[in-house]
Structure formats: structure tokens, C-alpha cells
Amino acid sequence: MQRRVSIRSARAASAAAGLMILTLPALAQAPKIGDPPEAKNMRLVGYNDLHGRSAYQPTIHHQGSRYIAYIGHHGGTPEVPKPVNRLTGQAENNGTSIVDVTDPAQPKYLAHIPGLQGHYEEGGAQMVRVCDGKTLSKGDASKTYMLRVFGGRAHEIWDVTDPAKPALLTKIVEGLKDTHKSWWECDTGIAYLVSGVEGWRVKRMTQVFDLSDPSKPVHIRDFGLVGQEPGSAGAVPTELHGAISTGPQGNRVYFGYGTNKGGVLQIVDREKLLNGPKEPTAENLRYPVVGQLDMLPFNGAHTVFPMLKMPIAEFAKDKDGKVRDFVMIVDEQILNECQEARQLVFFVDVTIESRPMVVSNFSVPETSGNFCQRGGRFGSHSSNESMAPVFYKKIAFIAYFNAGVRAVDVHNPYQPKEVGYFIPSITEATDKRCIKVDGVDRCKTAIQSNNVETDDRGYIYVVDRANTGMHILELTGEARAIAGLQ
């Protein structure tokens, strides 16, 4: 077993790597290979290049005595459609990387599972979730299971009990039009799968499955916004992006629709969703919904992260409303070099679920780093989704493409405040990003921090869409104190 790294040894390893960190305002010009990372109150602990694969969702699982990172990938590029798996020497379609991060200063690449053939969003296996059999009511207590997508065509379950030797267990559903950001309740086994079922009017809606016995998936129902269901008419609401459930204890599922436009936050009664009428009629789709927020036409809802029962220090002496429920909505920027409306992070007070209200927002000032000119996307994309106490309802981490990952103090969601950031250095593997100028491609190389997750030890994992790999970080200074870390 690899030893857990101490804070002192991690800092020494970082220093030994000769990494210089800019603590002054972000570079005025676009970074180039060889420039140091830019950081404030965050520092690099460890790094893995993920074999140069474009990365989407990292899931960090405390597996026995080890911590294992499961990372979903987008498809390859026209220039490098199949990066080489250095463990086998074989060129493989981008799929799922499995990395031992027990010692975060020295992550160890264990395995790669190929995904669907295709470039960018057309291939890969970008979404992954992991549950232990001992927590699933009908699982094998000796096993660990991984739920992943197979490109946009299927959902699969893998046995990852030995993470270095993953084995396909079952195909849950195949022949889909698309997939995306699913959620799996490890205590009940209920999974909310983003799917594109034939007959539905969108490429992404929800299929609810019981995966409490991962070897025997049971389909419960299909679900979506009214107007998406088969046989409906009129305007088609924007497609699903993903869901987060609070399980039977919270009895709520939060659905986010839209990516960079037509965003919708939908608050659903979980019990009614699972046990109510299941035929996808307009009436039945409305039945479990207890609240809904329709966003502006040019903002979407990539991640909808619940932060419930939050005591607000500013309201502590008030007779009413001193404890509130919130959902943090993170939009996704799509177009490069600011060629669309800016996507932001919105904080929504859902204390009165039938009347959700946006009460604040967070964004990175463009002038702080000349981000519109750096290349690639600039704007929000996703947040960490772990509800481990180390950061939950204290600090949120937002992946912000060419502005790296941002640490935001959310103790008072009415006044979120940035307390740190880390923008990785570009490398020779970092892929270019282009826009059309007078009909000709203009390409720039830029960091594209894509998705971020945290573990219960307080480490932050950010992966890059432009093939730069995975950076493992920790908070320092004021931000560390705000999180209550020693």
C-alpha cells in the first residue's frame, strides 16, 4: 500500500519540482509553454498527464485503504484520435483512466478502459460514478462498481474491485442518441441516467434505474420536461444536462437543463418521481415537480448543486429566515474567445421551493487575466459535487476553463467571495482552440480546466479539456483557514 503523503512532504515534492507560482495578478499576455502556473491561496501537490487525453469527470473514491481517481474522457482529436496507453503500448480510443492518488504527490496510473471511437464529444466515455457493493442493498459486499457511459450510445457497469484490472459487468442500456452527467445513489442504488431514448424529442432526458444489484439493472421510468415526451407538440424545452439527488433522507432530486442557453432548474419530489405514475404524459411529468426556475435564454444549467439548511451568520439575530436552502447553478461556456454571452455561477434561494429566487452570482473579472484573448473558452463550467464535510457549504470550487479553478467562499451565498485560484501551466500536450476570423481558423493554445472534484482529505482535483492532464491541489493561506483546515 502506498503511504499517505504528509503536508510537509507534499510541499517539499512541489518545491523540488522547481515550480514557481505567480501570486501577482494574472498574466496580461497569453501564457506559453514554460511559464509557471498562476495561483493565489492554492498550490500544486501532484500531477498526472493522463496520457494526453481530454478529460471530463473525475470521481475520487476512498476504496479500502486507498484513494482512487476514476476519470472520464472526451473522444480524441483528428490529429491524435487514439493516444497510446503507456501501460500496454497500444493506441486506444479515449475512455476511462484509473489513477491511484493515495499519495497525491505521486499519482500512479493504473489502467485505461477504451471508450467509443470518435473525436471530441462524439467519442470517449466522459461520465463516471463509483459505488461500493457493501453500501448497495443488493451488491456484492466484496466488490466495487463503476457506472460509466460508453460515448453517447450506452451506459455500463464495470467491476473495479481491483482498479488495475477493471472488468465489464453489464450493459445497462444501449442504442441511445446521447448520454451525459449521470448520478448514482450509493445507499439505495437508484441511478438517474442522462440518456437519449428514441421517440423523445431531445437527445438528453432522464432514465431512472434501480442499480442496487449492479448485475441486474431494473428500469423504473423515463422523465423530462413537459414538451420533451414522445407525441408532444409545440416548442421543445432545452435538453437535460444532469441531476443531483439528496437520496431518501432529503427526498429531492435537482435537475439542470440547458448548457449555455434556456437553462432550467427543476426541483423534484424523489418519492413521487420513483413511485408516482410513470407513463410519460404531460400530467405525469408535472406530478413530482415542486419547484422550477426558468433562466435567461442565454444562460444554461450545467451543474445544480444543493446546499441545504445553511445557517447565515448575518441573519443570526433575525426572527425568521436565519437558516436557508440554496442551489448553486453553474452554467457552461461553449464558444471560444468570448463569442457568446458570458456564463456565470448563480446562487438560488430555494427555501420556498415553489418560488426559487436568484440572490447572487459569481464570475471571474475578464480584465484580471485578459481572458477573452488567451484562447479557448472563458467562463464557468462545473463545480465539485462532493458533499464531504471538509468543504461542503464552506468553499466551492469552480472550473473556469482558461481561468483555471476558482475557490469561492460560500458561507453566505448572498455574498459569495473568491478566496483563491489556480491556473495550470500549458504543456506540449495542451491542444489548440480555434475560432474563425474572416473565414480562416485562428488558433491559440490555452488551459481549459474542465471539471473539478474534491476528496474527504481536502485535496482538489482539476482535469483539463485540452489534454493537459490532472492537477492535484490544496488550499493555502487565507482560503485554508476559511475552510477550517489545519
Side-chain angles (χ1 to χ4, degrees):
M1 183 190 79
Q2 293 181 327
R3 64 179 176 82
R4 285 181 59 175
V5 68
S6 69
I7 296 301
R8 180 176 297 174
S9 64
R11 286 173 179 157
S14 179
L19 293 171
M20 294 176 59
I21 306 294
L22 293 184
T23 55
L24 297 174
L27 294 174
Q29 298 180 348
K32 60 184 181 299
I33 295 175
D35 286 341
E38 303 160 62
K40 175 184 176 183
N41 290 334
M42 297 182 76
R43 72 170 202 93
L44 182 66
V45 176
Y47 169 75
N48 189 277
D49 72 356
L50 303 179
H51 294 177
R53 302 179 190 274
S54 173
Y56 184 73
Q57 181 67 36
T59 292
I60 317 304
H61 190 64
H62 190 181
Q63 193 162 330
S65 60
R66 298 195 290 175
Y67 284 81
I68 307 297
Y70 296 86
I71 301 114
H73 293 288
H74 299 290
T77 65
E79 294 79 11
V80 187
K82 295 183 177 183
V84 172
N85 179 343
R86 298 191 204 120
L87 299 177
T88 64
Q90 300 297 309
E92 296 174 346
N93 294 322
N94 284 359
T96 308
S97 287
I98 304 177
V99 183
D100 189 323
V101 293
T102 308
D103 180 348
Q106 299 178 15
K108 182 181 179 183
Y109 200 98
L110 299 178
H112 175 256
I113 310 170
L116 180 68
Q117 182 175 355
H119 302 151
Y120 305 116
E121 295 282 347
E122 297 302 317
Q126 58 188 291
M127 192 61 215
V128 59
R129 301 290 188 192
V130 181
C131 290
D132 289 320
K134 63 185 178 182
T135 64
L136 296 167
S137 61
K138 300 176 183 177
D140 184 331
S142 67
K143 294 187 178 296
T144 300
Y145 303 96
M146 180 184 75
L147 166 67
R148 78 162 192 170
V149 301
F150 185 72
R153 299 294 172 261
H155 295 280
E156 304 173 335
I157 295 283
W158 286 72
D159 181 340
V160 291
T161 307
D162 181 349
K165 297 179 180 178
L168 179 63
L169 181 64
T170 187
K171 294 270 191 180
I172 301 169
V173 60
E174 299 182 82
L176 301 173
K177 294 185 289 185
D178 205 358
T179 63
H180 207 48
K181 200 171 178 64
S182 301
W183 185 264
W184 193 10
E185 298 174 2
C186 288
D187 51 352
T188 69
I190 300 299
Y192 308 87
L193 306 182
V194 179
S195 298
V197 175
E198 289 296 334
W200 282 72
R201 302 174 72 202
V202 287
K203 291 196 306 179
R204 295 175 181 172
M205 33 69 72
T206 301
Q207 289 189 291
V208 184
F209 273 82
D210 181 349
L211 302 180
S212 57
D213 181 349
S215 66
K216 297 177 181 179
V218 177
H219 178 241
I220 296 176
R221 70 172 299 172
D222 295 337
F223 184 71
L225 292 173
V226 173
Q228 296 178 338
E229 72 275 17
S232 59
V236 182
T238 187
E239 63 193 20
L240 177 70
H241 206 282
I244 294 180
S245 171
T246 61
Q249 298 80 14
N251 192 37
R252 289 294 181 268
V253 185
Y254 299 88
F255 292 91
Y257 297 84
T259 302
N260 62 333
K261 57 185 177 182
V264 176
L265 163 64
Q266 188 183 53
I267 308 171
V268 169
D269 183 303
R270 178 184 177 278
E271 179 69 20
K272 290 182 178 180
L273 176 69
L274 299 182
N275 299 308
K278 297 176 175 59
E279 183 182 354
T281 64
E283 182 179 5
N284 291 348
L285 294 178
R286 291 190 188 98
Y287 173 71
V289 179
V290 296
Q292 183 166 311
L293 173 68
D294 295 330
M295 302 175 68
L296 293 172
F298 48 75
N299 287 117
H302 177 285
T303 305
V304 288
F305 185 64
M307 301 186 300
L308 308 179
K309 295 183 174 22
M310 291 190 67
I312 308 301
E314 175 62 28
F315 303 156
K317 297 179 181 179
D318 294 352
K319 179 181 178 182
D320 300 313
K322 63 185 68 178
V323 176
R324 307 273 180 115
D325 294 335
F326 298 90
V327 173
M328 180 176 66
I329 301 178
V330 187
D331 307 345
E332 178 181 358
Q333 200 77 35
I334 291 294
L335 300 183
N336 296 331
E337 299 191 36
C338 302
Q339 298 299 300
E340 63 175 334
R342 187 73 51 79
Q343 302 300 308
L344 312 173
V345 180
F346 294 99
F347 292 85
V348 182
D349 189 324
V350 296
T351 308
I352 309 300
E353 292 180 311
S354 61
R355 296 190 178 183
M357 182 173 70
V358 174
V359 295
S360 66
N361 68 77
F362 167 78
S363 64
V364 176
E366 191 278 332
T367 55
S368 67
N370 198 27
F371 291 113
C372 283
Q373 280 68 53
R374 285 195 181 200
R377 305 185 193 185
F378 167 60
S380 60
H381 182 211
S382 65
S383 73
N384 63 310
E385 298 174 354
S386 171
M387 298 182 192
V390 62
F391 292 127
Y392 184 51
K393 298 191 285 190
K394 303 174 189 175
I395 292 184
F397 298 92
I398 312 296
Y400 228 85
F401 290 120
N402 69 9
V405 61
R406 320 302 286 205
V408 182
D409 182 349
V410 295
H411 281 90
N412 181 1
Y414 280 85
Q415 296 178 318
K417 177 185 177 183
E418 180 174 286
V419 293
Y421 61 81
F422 188 93
I423 306 175
S425 301
I426 64 174
T427 71
E428 292 182 356
T430 307
D431 192 28
K432 63 182 180 299
R433 291 293 185 264
C434 306
I435 63 170
K436 291 285 186 183
V437 179
D438 297 328
V440 179
D441 278 344
R442 183 181 73 195
C443 302
K444 298 178 182 179
T445 302
I447 283 297
Q448 295 287 267
S449 294
N450 205 29
N451 286 62
V452 60
E453 189 51 287
T454 55
D455 69 21
D456 59 11
R457 301 175 295 179
Y459 293 110
I460 305 113
Y461 303 77
V462 59
V463 298
D464 189 77
R465 194 182 192 96
N467 309 348
T468 315
M470 175 176 68
H471 294 77
I472 305 174
L473 314 171
E474 68 177 2
L475 294 178
T476 61
E478 175 194 13
R480 193 170 186 85
I482 290 171
L485 297 172
Q486 298 297 319

